[in-house]
Amino acid sequence: MDCGARSPARAARPRSPLVSTRRRRALVGLAAVVPILILFGYVALSIWATITVKGDFYSGLGAGGAYATRWHTELLLILVGVGTGLLVASSAFLWGRALGRATRLALFLGLGAILAPMLAIWLRGARDPILAERNAASFGRSDPVFGRDVGFYVFELPVQRMIVVMVLVVAMVALLGHVAAAFAGRAASGDREDRYRAAGITVRLGRFVFPLAALAIAAGGALVWLGRYGQVYGGDETVAGAGNAARGILIPTWTVGAIAVAVGAVGLALLALPALRWRAAVVSWRTFALVVAGLWGVTTLALVIFATPWWLILGVPTGILAALAFRARGQTAFAPQRDLEQSWQEDGGERRRVLRRPASWSSPVGSWAWIAPPAVLLVAVAILGPVGAALNDAIVLRGSRLQVERPNIQATLDATRAASGIDRAAIVDADYRRGGVTRQAIAQAPASVGSLRFLDLPPTISACSRLQTFNQFYGCHDADVDRYRFGGRPRTVFVLGREIDYSKVPDFQRRHLTYTHGYGLVIAPVDQIDAVGRPDWLAGYIPQRGLDPPPVHPELYFGATEAPWAIVNTNQPVFDGLTTRQVQWDGGTGIRVGSGLHRLAVTKFLGGLPYVGGGRQVWNATSGRPAGPDSRVLLYRDIRQRAVEMYPFLSFDSDPYYASAAGRIWIMVAAYAASDRYPYAVRFGGTSYMRAAGVLAVDAYSGETHLYRLDEREPITTTWQRVYPELFAPLSAMPAALRAHLRYGEDLFNLQSAALERFHVTSVDTLYTNDEAWAPTEEAYGPGVEGQRIISPARYTYAVLPGERRERFLTIRSYKPAVRGRGIGFSGWLAIDSDPGRFGRMTVLRFLQSAANPLDSLDTFTSNVARDPELSAQIGVRREQVLRGNTIVVPVGKGLLYTQPLYLDSPGDSLPSLWQVVVSFGDGQVYAAPTFAEALDAALAGGAETPPGTRPPPGASIPELL
């Protein structure tokens, strides 16, 4: 007999249903748990890889402490978010046996799955605002409504709002979850035997509904309270904060309303106690109505006292409700048998008659009715504030806006000038006049005359791309104005970086391992061209020539345009200059590829999982063929990417630029401290407050990164330096050779110049009438006789300001009267210094509109070019071949010198060449010649008078004078 054989009886025995159910449940649970574990494992791997790689990145730059602060704070906030979400979700187990085990578990898992990740992500994103709020510096200036320091609005208010909104969302999600669980429990208790259980569920639901509803209503009231502070910023260009209606109606209404809502929320929370809830449930509708009328009446009285008598109208619903309640006091809670309502119900096959007592004022309200009054009050006060302010503006206020809002307009004027920084400008009256440009003045202002740009930006970039790249993979993407010393004298020049054009390198190997860097700088003077009308290069070529001292490493591994990550020090040839050869990078800031887990972290950070998608390419590339453990990964090679990664709390200028100093090539970009929440300050481009926080400098070869702080008193920068001291360096630590290339940021200059258009005045009446408003000058630019009218951009130029003798490197913008037809000359100039010892000093030049024979503005000068008979005829012959360049005007002596280049552009050639240079002294006359020297000579001979005793020796030419 085979003992191992199963008997027929045993084989035929059916499996236990209980065993099959358990197995199915186990399989279902396993199928649900495994994807969750995989997801958590992938998230953990991603976090570990990010911390590992970024930790190496920051440590290589000497800022490891800053990154440690970041990820420690993030981890703490994530844990707080997850813990808070799970704590709220654990309230599911407070139901006890009132709900089934499955329902309680489903409620816990549902709330936890929603709240824990939501709060973790929310708090993680609030890392920097929370750190800033805990380290906030004072602005030393308060708003005129609440007397709060500006720092409260910049640092504290956003965090407070975030926390309140978070509490509101958590309370609403938890409330909905418990209500849904109660309905599910009641649905499972629908038969007659479980009716008592269903009633118990309803009773226990109050333990959750009332405190959660109270918490949500209190959070809504807190938002109303905080909303008062939001009234002091925003607005329009006349009153950029709270006007009289907001200060007299809206803010007091929201103050009283928020307090009333808070009191109602406290009362609602007390109903979580069973004894109080039972007493509230048996209160009659008449008593309920009287209580609501009394609370609304007290609130109305407070609104009348602290806001406006007009809120007496809110007493009407109070009186109506109270009158109805008193009128119904004779009603009884017990109706006669004949007055009972009857209906029929089927119960177990039997038809039963059901009698119901009709509702009356004496009927009990039930406990749920008490949620409505504070909720309705919250909605009412949120609406009443803006509506009351709007009606007050439309009906009550009388007189002009200037009469009504004078204090608020004054606050807007003062705050806008302070927030934009134009209140620190020195006001100088310009006394330039016709005939002020002389040969002697030209000889005494070589740098200023050399800043006159008859080499324009687009032709320079085109010429560099055609003549200085030497390879299809190089490109000249942008040209920036800077100053250098060549031949012992300062020159205003265009500086271009010869960078890799990655749009032409699509494949993985060449994009990340072969074409790893650009090469050298190209420099051309703005006032000098060669014999065929193209840039006369002062520096460029391969190998690098023309820079003094020459850069030790002309390779550009880091740049000013978008560049992908790169792996260097591989065993494959790398494109370098003109050839492909073996190149070793020794910058010292790269991330080591490594082996084992470190290689896994690098692969996950750069591409994903090994052997999957992009991760497969990175994993294979770092296997020793071609990159090995000693290879280095270069991250955030574009200075904009690096700025956003390292300094996400600052904003940066849109125009980074290259600079060569002390044998090194740097990329530099201005960093700003900015905010849109400065009380009563007008916003320009969405920003009301902006300051030069510092300058970010990155070594183009090594990636060494520094943010040199420019203003030690600026509060936003001070706050962030308290948070991340490793990320900042004093300006004194910047090498002197690099400091000589500081440029005032264009974005900050544009904001300040926009603010100056209306707010250069200090009188409220003048600001309101707008009679003395300025507008930026316009010029004719582009193809054709007329060109296109564009707003004159800001200019970097050397100039001597009135009352000074030294030529300084300035950023200048010119203005004209904003009122059309009011004069032909300038109304003002804004000039800001970029010299290291005077960096950021602001000067406003005022041109008197009443002056006799005013000098032409840029608008008038470019119109004169088109009106000149001879020149317009020559342009008309060439028609669309003519390109009008940008117009430059600089002070020379007691006058102004204007220049505009004209180019010829052939359709078959992307290299426009200089054709004519137009020169004027602002007296309505224009002079054109193929070269600047000839045009200037003609202007001096025919336009301006030379004062006695200043005539140069006979035979002296303009080139000799220059």
Side-chain angles (χ1 to χ4, degrees):
M1 180 178 179
D2 187 359
C3 296
R6 295 163 56 184
S7 65
R10 184 178 179 182
R13 185 183 303 167
R15 293 183 178 180
S16 169
L18 181 60
V19 174
S20 300
T21 301
R22 288 177 178 175
R23 287 183 177 179
R24 283 197 300 270
R25 289 179 178 177
L27 291 175
V28 170
L30 184 63
V33 169
V34 169
I36 295 176
L37 292 178
I38 293 175
L39 176 62
F40 274 99
Y42 182 81
V43 172
L45 176 63
S46 301
I47 294 174
W48 167 75
T50 300
I51 292 175
T52 300
V53 174
K54 285 193 175 182
D56 289 349
F57 169 76
Y58 281 87
S59 296
L61 298 174
Y67 186 66
T69 300
R70 285 184 182 174
W71 80 264
H72 289 163
T73 305
E74 280 189 15
L75 180 60
L76 177 61
L77 292 174
I78 289 173
L79 292 177
V80 170
V82 172
T84 303
L86 295 179
L87 181 63
V88 174
S90 64
S91 62
F93 299 113
L94 298 178
W95 280 94
R97 295 184 178 180
L99 291 180
R101 180 183 302 175
T103 304
R104 296 197 306 269
L105 182 60
L107 178 58
F108 171 76
L109 294 177
L111 291 179
I114 295 173
L115 294 178
M118 180 184 70
L119 293 178
I121 295 172
W122 207 334
L123 288 174
R124 178 181 178 272
R127 176 200 67 198
D128 281 343
I130 291 175
L131 288 173
E133 190 271 339
R134 294 177 61 86
N135 296 272
S138 172
F139 276 69
R141 185 183 178 97
S142 301
D143 76 274
V145 178
F146 300 100
R148 293 272 195 167
D149 186 84
V150 175
F152 167 78
Y153 298 95
V154 175
F155 301 118
E156 298 178 29
L157 184 59
V159 175
Q160 293 180 8
R161 278 181 172 169
M162 180 205 68
I163 294 175
V164 171
V165 171
M166 189 169 60
V167 170
L168 175 62
V169 171
V170 169
M172 293 300 297
V173 170
L175 179 62
L176 293 175
H178 282 284
V179 171
F183 274 103
R186 286 179 60 88
S189 307
D191 55 349
R192 296 182 60 184
E193 289 74 12
D194 285 346
R195 287 181 182 176
Y196 287 108
R197 183 183 173 192
I201 291 175
T202 303
V203 171
R204 290 206 176 191
L205 181 61
R207 298 181 180 180
F208 304 99
V209 169
F210 287 102
L212 290 175
L215 186 62
I217 291 172
L223 284 178
V224 171
W225 179 271
L226 295 177
R228 305 173 311 143
Y229 298 115
Q231 300 302 310
V232 302
Y233 54 83
D236 54 34
E237 289 192 0
T238 303
V239 178
N244 272 5
R247 296 177 71 165
I249 305 293
L250 188 149
I251 292 176
T253 299
W254 277 0
T255 301
V256 173
I259 295 173
V261 169
V263 172
V266 171
L268 194 61
L270 293 176
L271 294 182
L273 301 175
L276 293 178
R277 190 164 67 254
W278 180 83
R279 290 181 178 275
V282 299
V283 169
S284 67
W285 281 104
R286 175 176 173 272
T287 305
F288 176 80
L290 290 175
V291 171
V292 171
L295 293 176
W296 184 253
V298 172
T299 303
T300 301
L301 180 61
L303 289 173
V304 170
I305 295 173
F306 295 103
T308 174
W310 287 98
W311 285 139
L312 281 172
I313 195 174
L314 298 178
V316 173
T318 303
I320 293 174
L321 190 60
L324 291 175
F326 278 110
R327 183 180 180 184
R329 61 184 176 180
Q331 294 186 11
T332 176
F334 301 97
Q337 183 74 18
R338 65 179 181 272
D339 294 334
L340 297 181
E341 297 176 353
Q342 61 179 349
S343 61
W344 298 88
Q345 290 185 355
E346 295 288 339
D347 188 6
E350 298 181 1
R351 197 175 184 210
R352 300 175 54 208
R353 188 178 66 167
V354 179
L355 299 177
R356 292 188 178 89
R357 185 172 290 110
S360 70
W361 280 92
S362 298
S363 302
V365 298
S367 57
W368 307 116
W370 293 98
I371 298 177
V376 172
L377 179 61
L378 172 62
V379 175
V381 298
I383 297 174
L384 284 175
V387 169
L391 292 176
N392 189 76
D393 263 340
I395 300 174
V396 178
L397 295 182
R398 292 290 183 267
S400 69
R401 195 179 187 191
L402 177 61
Q403 294 173 321
V404 173
E405 303 284 3
R406 177 177 287 274
N408 301 314
I409 298 174
Q410 182 70 60
T412 299
L413 174 60
D414 296 339
T416 302
R417 288 175 57 82
S420 62
I422 63 175
D423 61 332
R424 299 180 294 180
I427 310 299
V428 177
D429 289 331
D431 58 352
Y432 304 118
R433 58 180 182 271
R434 297 186 178 188
V437 179
T438 65
R439 295 180 185 272
Q440 183 183 30
I442 291 173
Q444 292 175 348
S448 300
V449 176
S451 294
L452 291 168
R453 187 190 307 175
F454 46 88
L455 178 62
D456 212 19
L457 186 65
T460 304
I461 297 175
S462 298
C464 180
S465 298
R466 289 283 297 274
L467 304 174
Q468 285 286 339
T469 54
F470 309 112
N471 187 284
Q472 63 171 326
F473 298 110
Y474 280 140
C476 297
H477 304 290
D478 190 21
D480 297 291
V481 178
D482 201 355
R483 71 282 202 194
Y484 285 77
R485 296 191 71 88
F486 288 97
R489 66 186 182 94
R491 303 290 301 273
T492 304
V493 297
F494 283 123
V495 182
L496 306 94
R498 191 187 292 108
E499 299 177 291
I500 296 292
D501 184 355
Y502 283 99
S503 64
K504 300 177 181 177
V505 189
D507 59 287
F508 178 88
Q509 191 79 5
R510 293 190 299 172
R511 186 175 181 84
H512 298 292
L513 282 82
T514 302
Y515 294 95
T516 57
H517 58 276
Y519 189 94
L521 300 183
V522 179
I523 297 179
V526 300
D527 65 329
Q528 187 172 326
I529 57 174
D530 63 14
V532 294
R534 292 169 181 169
D536 193 2
W537 311 111
L538 295 176
Y541 310 101
I542 300 177
Q544 179 75 59
R545 301 199 302 268
L547 295 178
D548 185 23
V552 177
H553 292 289
E555 300 88 358
L556 307 180
Y557 284 90
F558 301 86
T561 57
E562 185 176 355
W565 56 266
I567 300 180
V568 296
N569 297 347
T570 63
N571 59 13
Q572 72 163 24
V574 174
F575 183 75
D576 183 46
L578 296 174
T579 61
T580 303
R581 61 187 181 88
Q582 206 72 28
V583 176
Q584 286 296 310
W585 176 84
D586 58 356
T589 63
I591 299 170
R592 189 174 63 90
V593 171
S595 59
L597 289 177
H598 199 276
R599 178 186 168 207
L600 174 63
V602 171
T603 300
K604 176 64 185 71
F605 185 81
L606 296 180
L609 294 174
Y611 309 112
V612 179
R616 176 183 60 82
Q617 293 178 309
V618 179
W619 184 259
N620 292 339
T622 57
S623 62
R625 303 182 306 274
D630 293 330
S631 299
R632 295 290 187 270
V633 179
L634 306 183
L635 296 177
Y636 308 112
R637 299 198 295 138
D638 173 4
I639 192 172
R640 295 184 183 90
Q641 297 173 343
R642 181 157 295 207
V644 171
E645 167 59 33
M646 297 183 68
Y647 304 91
F649 41 82
L650 298 177
S651 57
F652 289 85
D653 196 81
S654 57
D655 188 23
Y657 61 99
Y658 283 95
S660 177
R664 303 169 74 180
I665 297 177
W666 297 81
I667 315 105
M668 304 174 70
V669 65
Y672 306 126
S675 176
D676 60 353
R677 295 186 294 273
Y678 196 102
Y680 279 92
V682 174
R683 294 172 179 173
F684 301 95
T687 302
S688 56
Y689 172 88
M690 184 179 282
R691 289 291 188 276
V695 58
L696 182 65
V698 178
D699 188 301
Y701 176 77
S702 68
E704 175 187 338
T705 304
H706 303 283
L707 193 144
Y708 298 103
R709 188 171 176 184
L710 293 173
D711 187 353
E712 296 294 332
R713 297 175 298 176
E714 201 287 310
I716 294 180
T717 317
T718 298
T719 297
W720 290 115
Q721 189 166 12
R722 292 175 182 176
V723 178
Y724 304 119
E726 302 89 349
L727 295 181
F728 294 86
L731 184 60
S732 58
M734 176 183 280
L738 186 59
R739 205 180 310 165
H741 293 283
L742 286 174
R743 293 193 332 177
Y744 199 77
E746 293 184 50
D747 292 350
L748 175 55
F749 182 87
N750 289 336
L751 180 141
Q752 292 172 324
S753 61
L756 198 69
E757 292 177 17
R758 290 192 64 223
F759 293 91
H760 62 275
V761 302
T762 56
S763 166
V764 172
D765 298 272
T766 307
L767 174 70
Y768 184 79
T769 58
N770 217 28
D771 286 341
E772 295 187 17
W774 296 349
T777 55
E778 297 178 345
E779 59 188 68
Y781 179 84
V785 179
E786 297 293 337
Q788 297 176 348
R789 305 295 292 186
I790 66 168
I791 294 177
S792 301
R795 310 292 192 197
Y796 290 105
T797 180
Y798 277 101
V800 179
L801 296 179
E804 298 183 3
R805 296 183 178 181
R806 181 182 173 186
E807 293 180 292
R808 302 188 183 280
F809 194 70
L810 308 169
T811 314
I812 290 179
R813 165 158 282 156
S814 56
Y815 300 90
K816 62 182 180 179
V819 179
R820 288 184 174 273
R822 184 175 177 181
I824 62 172
F826 293 110
S827 57
W829 279 15
L830 173 63
I832 301 182
D833 211 316
S834 290
D835 281 2
R838 299 166 51 91
F839 187 85
R841 291 196 182 184
M842 186 183 303
T843 304
V844 175
L845 276 66
R846 295 185 302 189
F847 290 73
L848 300 179
Q849 294 300 304
S850 60
N853 300 320
L855 296 176
D856 297 339
S857 72
L858 291 185
D859 308 61
T860 309
F861 164 69
T862 53
S863 298
N864 291 337
V865 173
R867 284 195 292 263
D868 183 78
E870 182 178 351
L871 188 56
S872 62
Q874 296 183 49
I875 295 175
V877 172
R878 293 162 178 81
R879 301 180 65 80
E880 298 303 318
Q881 285 185 313
V882 176
L883 293 177
R884 300 181 68 160
N886 284 129
T887 302
I888 304 291
V889 56
V890 297
V892 175
K894 294 295 184 179
L896 298 177
L897 180 55
Y898 304 66
T899 301
Q900 184 179 42
L902 303 179
Y903 301 90
L904 289 181
D905 185 23
S906 174
D909 189 358
S910 61
L911 288 176
S913 58
L914 185 64
W915 170 53
Q916 294 281 299
V917 178
V918 183
V919 171
S920 176
F921 297 145
D923 55 0
Q925 301 295 320
V926 296
Y927 304 87
T931 67
F932 170 64
E934 294 175 320
L936 182 58
D937 205 2
L940 287 170
E945 299 179 0
T946 304
T950 61
R951 186 174 299 279
S957 65
I958 295 301
E960 291 172 346
L961 290 173
L962 295 178

